[in-house]
Amino acid sequence: MLDFKIASGDFYEIPDLDKGTLRFKNAADLLGFYHLLEILPDLRNINFRHKEFFPYYGEDLEVIAEALKNDKENVAVEGGPCLFGEHEVDVIVTLDDDSKYLFDYSTGKKYKALESVDYELSNLDLAQFVEENKDAIRDIAFKNHKSGLTYQEYLHVFFPFAIADALKTALVMTLPDISYRKYLQYICKSLSEQMALKVMNEFDEILYYITDMYIDLINQLEDKFKIERFALVHGRNEELMKVYIEKREPFIERNKVLKSLTSNDAKLESIKDYISMPALPYYIFGSTHILEVNSMDETDSYRKCRKAHKSVLTLSCILFPELLSSDGENTIYCTTLEHKDYNNYKSELE
């Protein structure tokens, strides 16, 4: 971890000093690439920049190795990217007094007041601000700054494909456009029906423009790897979305699960998605041994999904870090536009 610069919260411990393994959020052990090969030797054929220097985080990979020997048809990989990060999609809220406020959609937080105004925002996020000012909102508009995919976002798509190909398993990829919409739908409940429809339509144009970037990359990787059993789940695939919503209900819509998710009502429906997506191979293919391949930022979702579905499946993981951007301080997800370095992955597709 000291050799490979990443940005990460301080959620590490060494629970067993004799074993000496660094553990993240009490959910996954820090591993080198050679550790992965000791357990899953078929991963040796994966090729990408820096693969041998990456820190990886794994849990119960021996269970996957055993299942590959004895029950391979029931093994599947699941993963997928966030659609956009900070500084990529702005929300501009205009009030009746002509004051304008700029929020970041991915965080819901305020960037600044665009006009000189007396109104004090304090710590209100986008949802709180709209609720508090619902009778004074003249307009809500959006501005998209995202012109391509980052190398980190490429890895979010590449890793699940490469690992499913190496292990010869089924693969489910997830694009969480529905989850991004649900946050805005909650906010729109404070608006008139006419304005809510206008706001959702304008956001959908940006959302699907970005989602289509990922679909194009996924199509390229699908041609390259030719996974035998593959499913791509996103909001415009109505058939798979129907299966997803129906199959997850017995596991997610339980008080025991719901009360542990969040106290932020605006984000509840989106979080339901995030903690159920790792189980999608079970919902779609009936897979009972699932390897979640995703960012370590998804550790909490992985943990909660595993707990909610423990009666019907085993969920293991290979998680990888969010990379440090060229600003030397923030992850690529969090950095400003000049450090996103869009499309710096295309040579790896050749």
Side-chain angles (χ1 to χ4, degrees):
M1 284 188 49
L2 297 177
D3 290 338
F4 197 94
K5 302 293 186 184
I6 65 172
S8 172
D10 185 15
F11 301 108
Y12 298 92
E13 61 179 349
I14 303 177
D16 185 343
L17 291 178
D18 292 328
K19 187 179 178 183
T21 301
L22 203 60
R23 192 159 173 80
F24 183 69
K25 287 192 172 183
N26 196 29
D29 291 338
L30 180 65
L31 306 170
F33 190 67
Y34 65 95
H35 289 123
L36 295 181
L37 296 187
E38 288 175 358
I39 306 169
L40 299 169
D42 288 338
L43 298 184
R44 65 186 177 275
N45 295 322
I46 292 176
N47 289 306
F48 70 95
R49 202 184 314 170
H50 308 309
K51 75 173 181 182
E52 294 178 359
F53 301 101
F54 253 62
Y56 303 87
Y57 303 81
E59 180 72 353
D60 283 345
L61 298 182
E62 294 84 0
V63 175
I64 294 296
E66 188 66 22
L68 288 170
K69 292 178 184 176
N70 302 314
D71 193 19
K72 193 165 188 173
E73 284 298 305
N74 282 315
V75 180
V77 169
E78 193 279 334
C82 296
L83 296 183
F84 53 83
E86 293 185 36
H87 303 282
E88 294 190 300
V89 177
D90 295 336
V91 187
I92 302 100
V93 183
T94 304
L95 302 186
D96 286 336
D97 63 1
D98 289 331
S99 59
K100 297 178 185 290
Y101 301 90
L102 183 67
F103 292 83
D104 177 62
Y105 189 87
S106 70
T107 65
K109 295 179 181 178
K110 176 178 74 76
Y111 280 136
K112 57 186 176 182
L114 295 180
E115 307 288 347
S116 178
V117 293
D118 296 327
Y119 188 87
E120 176 56 49
L121 279 172
S122 66
N123 293 317
L124 296 181
D125 63 20
L126 175 61
Q128 293 166 333
F129 180 74
V130 170
E131 171 61 27
E132 186 161 309
N133 294 276
K134 59 187 177 184
D135 295 328
I137 292 176
R138 179 188 300 168
D139 188 37
I140 296 177
F142 304 91
K143 186 170 181 58
N144 174 44
H145 302 283
K146 188 173 182 63
S147 59
L149 303 182
T150 67
Y151 184 65
Q152 181 79 58
E153 290 163 339
Y154 165 74
L155 289 180
H156 276 269
V157 179
F158 169 81
F159 266 134
F161 264 102
I163 290 176
D165 176 67
L167 301 180
K168 305 304 177 190
T169 68
L171 170 64
V172 176
M173 287 290 301
T174 313
L175 298 177
D177 51 353
I178 57 164
S179 312
Y180 281 63
R181 290 187 90 252
K182 286 176 180 178
Y183 176 61
L184 187 60
Q185 284 176 317
Y186 180 91
I187 291 171
C188 282
K189 290 194 297 185
S190 299
L191 306 175
S192 69
E193 184 176 345
Q194 182 178 2
M195 182 178 290
L197 181 61
K198 174 258 185 193
V199 168
M200 290 304 304
N201 285 340
E202 288 186 8
F203 180 70
D204 282 347
E205 286 186 24
I206 293 172
L207 181 66
Y208 296 139
Y209 169 77
I210 294 173
T211 302
D212 285 344
M213 293 184 192
Y214 287 99
I215 291 175
D216 180 61
L217 174 59
I218 288 167
N219 288 339
Q220 292 179 66
L221 291 173
E222 192 178 2
D223 288 341
K224 178 178 180 178
F225 288 111
K226 301 191 183 304
I227 305 295
E228 189 171 325
R229 287 190 298 158
F230 172 69
L232 172 58
V233 180
H234 60 92
R236 288 172 288 173
N237 187 330
E238 295 181 4
E239 183 178 350
L240 285 183
M241 285 303 306
K242 182 179 179 182
V243 171
Y244 172 39
I245 299 303
E246 289 179 356
K247 292 289 184 70
R248 81 178 194 181
E249 184 175 354
F251 303 100
I252 303 302
E253 300 295 336
R254 294 185 290 151
N255 288 335
K256 186 176 180 180
V257 173
L258 295 176
K259 69 181 182 181
S260 67
L261 297 186
T262 181
S263 59
N264 187 338
D265 289 342
K267 295 184 177 180
L268 176 61
E269 291 302 321
S270 299
I271 291 174
K272 286 183 189 179
D273 294 342
Y274 297 138
I275 70 154
S276 56
M277 284 173 178
L280 270 162
Y282 175 72
Y283 304 151
I284 295 172
F285 295 130
S287 307
T288 53
H289 303 285
I290 299 173
L291 179 59
E292 169 75 354
V293 178
N294 217 319
S295 163
M296 59 188 288
D297 276 5
E298 301 303 322
T299 302
D300 290 337
S301 298
Y302 159 76
R303 242 183 339 105
K304 291 177 181 180
C305 183
R306 178 176 168 138
K307 185 175 181 180
H309 295 82
K310 64 182 180 181
S311 63
V312 296
L313 59 87
T314 60
L315 186 59
S316 306
C317 72
I318 296 176
L319 307 176
F320 50 92
E322 292 287 313
L323 304 182
L324 199 64
S325 74
S326 58
D327 70 11
E329 181 180 352
N330 297 292
T331 62
I332 295 175
Y333 178 91
C334 295
T335 195
T336 50
L337 289 172
E338 64 267 29
H339 297 290
K340 294 290 186 184
D341 199 14
Y342 291 124
N343 299 319
N344 183 21
Y345 63 86
K346 294 198 172 180
S347 63
E348 299 196 11
L349 288 171
E350 296 173 356

